[in-house]
Amino acid sequence: VERLQVTPDSTRAVFTAAGLVNARHQLYVVALDGRAAATPLPATAGTPKVFDFWLTPDGTRAVYTAAGSVASVPIDGSAKPVVLNPPLVAGGHIAGTPAVSDEWVLYQADQEVLRRYDLHVAPLDGSAPARRLNDPPGNDGVSTYAIVGDEALFVAPTLPTYGSWQLFHAPLAGGRPARVLNPPGVYSSTTSAPRSFLPHPDLNRVLFAAGGELYLGFLGQPIQGADAPR
């Protein structure tokens, strides 16, 4: 066993193991009451090794990375896995840790240009192609990112010059381009720390550091004054 997670309802475990194909770790699921043996989940073509995986918050699907691909599969084994990303450029790879919700995945990859790590969003059921969120793309790609409610948050540069990083938010389902939360001319203070920004528990606000100050930005429309950090 190489990777292991327990579903949110504590009824099943999902893990990777080289049970069927030696050195090619695949996903398995097993009931925690021990009444049945572990069973393998359907695999992507060619049985590539599963490098890592993440369960959706509702525990119904596993999202995993394997051989330059991001894929998702129902953990009840009811359907084959769906590859969510188009082919990467030669030598490209999936970078960082994907962010997963019950419907979406955010992943970072040099999908279009080698070593430019852009941020992409895709529906977990494969019903639409992956979309790049940082537009226009910068040479430095994207730094930190997260799913907050029905929006994606990410830190990316706005200018070619060093230190122009800002916090963006964009709807996961599309419909409008990403918008900047930083006040005009004020850039994010950090670009790579895990807490470049911190979502509020109400999922409508976000705390972020920029220009040596701490700001509270609003997301979406439920709160009056959206897009106006203070």
Side-chain angles (χ1 to χ4, degrees):
V1 174
E2 191 172 71
R3 299 283 188 273
L4 171 67
Q5 289 194 44
V6 175
T7 57
D9 63 4
S10 300
T11 62
R12 291 174 288 183
V14 182
F15 61 94
T16 60
L20 296 180
V21 181
N22 187 35
R24 292 289 185 181
H25 284 70
Q26 296 298 294
L27 285 170
Y28 291 77
V29 62
V30 63
L32 291 181
D33 60 13
R35 295 182 181 179
T39 57
L41 292 177
T44 42
T47 60
K49 176 178 178 177
V50 173
F51 293 114
D52 209 346
F53 73 94
W54 303 266
L55 297 180
T56 54
D58 63 8
T60 62
R61 298 182 76 93
V63 177
Y64 63 91
T65 53
S69 296
V70 179
S72 75
V73 63
I75 68 168
D76 61 6
S78 60
K80 294 181 179 180
V82 179
V83 176
L84 304 176
N85 65 302
L88 306 180
V89 296
H93 68 285
I94 308 298
T97 299
V100 178
S101 73
D102 291 337
E103 300 180 73
W104 304 91
V105 61
L106 293 178
Y107 69 91
Q108 191 178 21
D110 46 355
Q111 189 163 284
E112 301 171 4
V113 178
L114 189 64
R115 297 186 181 88
R116 191 190 75 198
Y117 296 104
D118 297 321
L119 184 64
H120 305 266
V121 60
L124 293 185
D125 60 4
S127 58
R131 294 181 291 108
R132 175 167 44 80
L133 288 177
N134 53 314
D135 186 31
N139 293 336
D140 293 325
V142 167
S143 179
T144 53
Y145 51 91
I147 292 176
V148 180
D150 59 359
E151 295 206 315
L153 270 66
F154 60 94
V155 177
T158 54
L159 299 170
T161 55
Y162 178 78
S164 66
W165 298 79
Q166 293 187 321
L167 177 62
F168 292 82
H169 69 118
L172 293 165
R176 68 161 173 80
R179 295 175 179 171
V180 175
L181 278 170
N182 295 48
V186 178
Y187 300 118
S188 292
S189 301
T190 59
T191 59
S192 59
R195 296 190 181 273
S196 296
F197 56 86
L198 184 64
H200 192 279
D202 66 11
L203 303 183
N204 289 319
R205 294 173 285 178
V206 59
L207 287 168
F208 63 95
E213 304 288 342
L214 184 63
Y215 291 88
L216 177 66
F218 297 114
L219 310 174
Q221 298 305 318
I223 297 178
Q224 187 176 3
D227 301 328
R230 67 185 185 194

